């Protein structure tokens, strides 16, 4: 299933991304299909807030018609671009704004920033400078809130709605979008829905709550997803009992046969 997602993270404490209409314009303007094709060999899925193929997923028709994810004959739907431009004009953020798009030297992020810069400059008229940082320096900057917007990514530890939802509303990413350590930026009302779906034992009712959570993410997120992908590991046949976890950070009882 979907395991790793890349996304755009906008600092909700810094202009112009303190304006929800600007954040929505970015969501609408991104050509996720082009990014997926260029950086993932066309594999994986677009960055929906709820990945496809799960028991709680939306139906195919809903996915196909979601603003920001619509395509006509394989090209970005012009309705999304027109709405993005109208939102920027309404917010007074159209024209050649000078912005800085950051990334850490990790996980293909610098490649994505180049494509994203080109897309947003073309669609929104912005003047974007790319800032690439060594991984640790990038973390320091994000925790300090020293960025405007950035390309980042993260794993989920299972395909359960708890794990998928937590990527959007709990933990590290939400502190960064909130402006740094000790803050949190989430769509209004989403905490209650997230907690309600955790307690709901009826699957149909829980599905409805999870999809409501997805709607709230789409309406107010500061970190629109770009794409979902899976990770693969090449493992020597001598390695026994190698069971890759979703986070990829721990293995138990691994040995070599014969001894390495």
């Amino acid at each position: 299933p979907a395991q790793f997602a890349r996304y755009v993270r906008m600092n909700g404490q810094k202009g112009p991304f303190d304006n929800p209409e600007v954040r929505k314009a970015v969501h609408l303007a991104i050509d996720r299909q082009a990014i997926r094709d260029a950086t993932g060999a066309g594999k994986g899925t677009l960055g929906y807030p709820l990945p496809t193929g799960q028991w709680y997923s939306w139906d195919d028709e809903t996915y196909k018609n979601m603003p920001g994810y619509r395509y006509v004959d394989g090209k970005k739907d012009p309705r999304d671009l027109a709405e993005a431009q109208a939102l920027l004009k309404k917010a007074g953020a159209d024209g050649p704004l000078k912005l800085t798009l950051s990334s850490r030297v990790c996980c293909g992020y610098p490649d994505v920033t180049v494509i994203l810069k080109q897309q947003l400059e073309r669609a929104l008229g912005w003047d974007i400078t790319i800032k690439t940082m060594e991984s640790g320096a990038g973390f320091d900057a994000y925790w300090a809130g020293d960025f405007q917007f950035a390309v980042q990514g993260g794993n989920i530890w299972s395909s359960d709605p708890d794990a998928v939802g937590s990527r959007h509303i709990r933990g590290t990413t939400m502190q960064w979008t909130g402006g740094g350590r000790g803050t949190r930026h989430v769509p209004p009302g989403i905490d209650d829905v997230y907690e309600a779906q955790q307690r709901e034992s009826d699957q149909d009712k829980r599905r409805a709550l999870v999809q409501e959570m997805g709607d709230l993410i789409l309406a107010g997120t500061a970190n629109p997803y770009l794409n979902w992908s899976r990770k693969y590991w090449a493992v020597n046949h001598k390695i026994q009992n190698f069971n890759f976890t979703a986070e990829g950070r721990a293995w138990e009882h691994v040995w070599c046969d014969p001894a390495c």
Side-chain angles (χ1 to χ4, degrees), residues 222-243:
N223 63 309
Y225 277 24
L226 301 173
N227 64 284
W228 288 98
S229 62
R230 288 181 283 181
K231 288 185 174 180
Y232 300 89
W233 286 73
V235 183
N236 189 287
H237 65 88
K238 293 181 181 181
I239 305 298
Q240 304 296 303
N241 202 37
F242 181 93
N243 297 298

Side-chain angles (χ1 to χ4, degrees), residues 189-198 208-210 212-214 216:
I190 201 167
D191 283 321
D192 291 341
V193 179
Y194 178 76
E195 291 169 8
Q197 66 83 24
Q198 288 183 309
L209 286 166
V210 173
E212 181 182 351
M213 181 174 67
L216 290 170

Side-chain angles (χ1 to χ4, degrees), residues 195-208:
E195 291 169 8
Q197 66 83 24
Q198 288 183 309
R199 298 191 299 269
E200 182 55 64
S201 59
D202 181 280
Q203 190 176 64
D204 289 337
K205 292 179 181 178
R206 190 182 184 203
R207 180 185 296 108

